[in-house]
Amino acid sequence: MKWSKGKSLLLLGIALVVVDQVIKVLVKTHMTLGESIPVFGNWFQLLFVENKGMAFGMAFGGVVGKYLLTLFRLVLFGFLCWWISRLLKREVPVPTGVLVGLTLITAGALGNIIDCLCYGLIFSESTSQTVATLGSYAPLMQGKVVDMFYFPLWTWPEWIPGLGGHIFFEPVFNFADSCVTVGAFYLILFHWKFFSKE
């Protein structure tokens, strides 16, 4: 049986989501909220935080905003799946890089959707004193996204206006965020001509 490009992309997407969820579950069930583990000195740390809103710790409109954000993510995920399947059916082959980039974004979106949909239902609340176990802390679509990658590379000198004293890159993010970001930048840098035609 011939191994199709569609099956390869599906396998890639599943693998990325599995990696994302394994990392998140390990962090959620083995670290207390706010706990930090140095990986490469102080430049790269595993820092467990939970994100109530969008990527990189941004928030959006409380409980109602959370429902809207999760619905938006579901619609975006569905659209991306439909678009990739449509591109695969074209008579003129679409560049493989375009399909891989879109798959990265789709897998990243699904990774964070799973947190929002399910984590509140299957895990207990994480605190600075306790590690999460099986339980429930929020209803469907109100789960918090688990973030852990932190790169406080340097602190800006005090004499720089507006930046002095601040860490160069403060957001804490996860593997799914990385997939979305890498996929988007890859498409913008190397396949912008394809999307300008689209």
Side-chain angles (χ1 to χ4, degrees):
M1 184 175 70
K2 188 178 178 181
W3 190 259
S4 68
K5 188 179 286 188
K7 288 179 181 176
S8 298
L9 293 171
L10 180 61
L11 186 63
L12 172 63
I14 291 171
L16 293 172
V17 173
V18 168
V19 169
D20 175 66
Q21 289 301 306
V22 167
I23 294 170
K24 287 174 176 174
V25 170
L26 287 174
V27 168
K28 179 84 175 164
T29 57
H30 289 80
M31 295 177 69
T32 56
L33 198 61
E35 182 180 350
S36 173
I37 300 173
V39 177
F40 188 71
N42 288 324
W43 289 2
F44 173 29
Q45 304 171 31
L46 291 180
L47 173 62
F48 176 27
V49 299
E50 288 186 311
N51 175 1
K52 296 179 182 178
M54 298 182 285
F56 301 110
M58 295 181 285
F60 180 71
V63 174
V64 174
K66 180 75 170 176
Y67 279 119
L68 292 174
L69 181 62
T70 304
L71 284 172
F72 171 75
R73 283 176 169 152
L74 287 167
V75 170
L76 177 63
F77 173 74
F79 170 75
L80 287 168
C81 290
W82 169 81
W83 193 14
I84 292 170
S85 67
R86 184 170 165 264
L87 292 175
L88 285 167
K89 293 174 184 174
R90 284 191 177 180
E91 291 184 12
V92 178
V94 174
T96 301
V98 170
L99 296 169
V100 170
L102 289 173
T103 300
L104 283 169
I105 295 171
T106 306
L110 180 58
N112 285 334
I113 286 169
I114 291 170
D115 295 28
C116 294
L117 284 177
C118 305
Y119 276 29
L121 296 173
I122 61 177
F123 291 115
S124 62
E125 186 80 30
S126 293
T127 72
S128 58
Q129 286 82 37
T130 58
V131 171
T133 58
L134 292 179
S136 177
Y137 72 84
L140 184 70
M141 296 175 69
Q142 289 293 310
K144 299 172 187 174
V145 177
V146 174
D147 292 328
M148 75 294 294
F149 297 137
Y150 183 43
F151 292 87
L153 298 177
W154 72 77
T155 302
W156 293 102
E158 294 289 344
W159 53 268
I160 299 179
L163 295 175
H166 292 279
I167 295 172
F168 166 69
F169 188 73
E170 292 188 272
V172 183
F173 58 98
N174 59 43
F175 186 78
D177 296 333
S178 301
C179 289
V180 172
T181 304
V182 169
F185 274 107
Y186 172 73
L187 292 176
I188 291 168
L189 290 174
F190 299 105
H191 295 285
W192 60 271
K193 287 184 179 179
F194 173 84
F195 290 100
S196 65
K197 291 176 184 177
E198 285 288 298

